């Protein structure tokens, strides 16, 4: 009795999709284990050399898992893992540096820093690497903009959280519990903040490029960018758990809606075998 090659191809395709769909769970579990091991070693040895590793894993855990979660959705992606990783690293570093410089210059010029300026600057800074990739990548797929935007937002969130955690560690005189609270709070909110907003704007940017810069697509991108800036500005202007919850819900719902709009049609086994 022989097994048809087409059946093997279908099974391998299903296993591949299943593995990609649930890879975020593995990222989350392994990351939590590493964070716990590093923290336990830091507490038991009191070795300050472990602090950078603790802050890095604490800041990167949820954003990395969320990028893996988005990459496992039923979308048409053309970019590989390497491009996504580089986007997260370069997008975060360039975005945070650019935003920090422009915000500082704005503060010097205006003598104060309006929250609207922060939103405009940071949402633009996070798009620098996605724009560069858009100019380089010719084989563009509908889901690439969303994934690249989420990755760039993740990198920005990681670097920003690491900075806040470092400052909190100094101001609290080395209180690890205060740092833990900050890492957990910012980590849980990151998918509904920087990652969602940049994912939405980058997806709209990719759509505009795919439609050869038609006026309607460009107008849609401007609208989505304005919405991201408005959400960002409102987030920075409020200081209420309820307000953050409402804004997080709105941001994630917009991301879910965009994901469904970009979702690739399901391919049934018969279609696979026919191909």
């Amino acid at each position: 009795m022989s097994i048809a090659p087409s059946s093997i191809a279908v099974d391998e395709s299903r296993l591949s999709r299943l593995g990609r769909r649930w890879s975020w769970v593995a990222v989350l579990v392994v990351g939590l284990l590493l964070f716990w091991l590093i923290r336990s070693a830091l507490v038991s040895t009191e070795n300050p050399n472990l602090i950078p590793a603790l802050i890095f894993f604490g800041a990167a855990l949820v954003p990395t898992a969320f990028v893996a979660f988005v990459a496992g959705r039923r979308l048409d992606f053309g970019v590989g893992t390497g491009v996504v990783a580089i986007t997260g690293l370069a997008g975060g570093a360039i975005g945070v540096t650019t935003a920090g410089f422009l915000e500082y210059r704005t503060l010097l010029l205006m003598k104060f820093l309006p929250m609207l300026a922060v939103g405009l600057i940071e949402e633009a800074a996070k798009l620098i690497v996605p724009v560069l990739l858009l100019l380089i990548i010719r084989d563009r797929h509908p889901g690439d903009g969303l994934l690249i935007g989420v990755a760039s937002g993740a990198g920005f969130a990681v670097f920003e959280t690491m900075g806040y955690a470092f400052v909190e560690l100094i101001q609290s005189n080395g209180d690890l519990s205060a740092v833990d609270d900050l890492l957990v709070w910012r980590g849980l909110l990151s998918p509904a903040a920087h990652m969602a907003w940049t994912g939405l704007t980058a997806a709209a940017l990719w759509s505009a490029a795919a439609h050869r810069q038609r006026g309607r697509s460009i107008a849609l991108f401007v609208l989505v960018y304005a919405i991201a800036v408005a959400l960002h500005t409102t987030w920075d202007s409020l200081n209420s758990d309820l307000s953050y919850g409402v804004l997080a819900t709105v941001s994630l719902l917009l991301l879910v809606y965009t994901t469904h709009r970009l979702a690739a049609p399901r391919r049934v086994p018969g279609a696979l075998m026919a191909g």
Side-chain angles (χ1 to χ4, degrees):
M1 180 179 179
S2 61
I3 301 177
S6 57
S7 299
I8 297 176
V10 171
D11 290 339
E12 290 179 347
S13 178
R14 286 175 177 172
L15 289 174
S16 177
R17 289 199 304 270
L18 187 64
R20 191 179 72 173
R21 186 176 185 83
W22 295 102
S23 62
W24 67 273
V25 177
V27 172
L28 191 62
V29 171
V30 172
L32 282 171
L33 177 60
L34 290 173
F35 179 79
W36 177 79
L37 289 173
I38 294 169
R39 195 184 191 286
S40 299
L42 176 59
V43 171
S44 61
T45 65
E46 298 183 353
N47 182 358
N49 291 334
L50 295 173
I51 292 176
L54 179 76
I55 292 177
F56 171 74
F57 274 96
L61 177 58
V62 174
T64 304
F66 191 72
V67 171
F69 175 80
V70 173
R73 298 312 92 196
R74 187 169 55 88
L75 296 174
D76 182 14
F77 297 121
V79 295
T81 304
V83 173
V84 175
I86 291 173
T87 300
L89 181 61
I94 294 174
V96 167
T97 303
T98 303
F101 175 78
L102 292 178
E103 288 169 2
Y104 175 72
R105 298 302 301 178
T106 303
L107 178 61
L108 291 180
L109 181 65
M110 302 182 65
K111 307 304 180 184
F112 72 102
L113 186 61
M115 289 297 101
L116 177 59
V118 174
L120 285 167
I121 291 171
E122 294 190 359
E123 292 308 314
K126 289 183 292 179
L127 286 176
I128 293 175
V129 171
V131 168
L132 292 176
L133 289 175
L134 186 62
L135 297 175
I136 296 171
I137 297 174
R138 295 302 178 187
D139 183 20
R140 299 162 184 159
H141 293 243
D144 289 344
L146 181 71
L147 180 58
I148 286 174
V150 168
S152 183
F156 190 98
V158 170
F159 281 105
E160 190 178 60
T161 297
M162 289 174 65
Y164 279 115
F166 178 72
V167 172
E168 181 66 30
L169 185 69
I170 295 175
Q171 293 180 344
S172 64
N173 296 318
D175 184 359
L176 286 181
S177 62
V179 176
D180 288 342
D181 290 342
L182 185 145
L183 291 174
V184 170
W185 180 244
R186 288 187 61 86
L188 291 176
L189 289 177
S190 61
H194 284 303
M195 300 173 71
W197 302 331
T198 312
L200 291 169
T201 52
L205 181 64
W206 236 255
S207 177
H211 290 89
R212 298 183 180 180
Q213 309 296 322
R214 288 189 304 189
R216 183 177 178 182
S217 297
I218 295 176
L220 177 61
F221 164 70
V222 173
L223 174 62
V224 173
Y225 176 76
I227 292 173
V229 170
L231 289 170
H232 193 151
T233 303
T234 305
W235 187 290
D236 289 343
S237 302
L238 301 176
N239 188 21
S240 163
D241 292 346
L242 177 60
S243 301
Y244 290 146
V246 172
L247 290 173
T249 301
V250 172
S251 299
L252 288 177
L253 285 176
L254 288 173
L255 189 65
V256 169
Y257 171 76
T258 303
T259 303
H260 280 291
R261 286 291 303 270
L262 295 174
R266 289 188 183 278
R267 301 182 68 182
V268 298
L272 287 172
M273 288 187 287

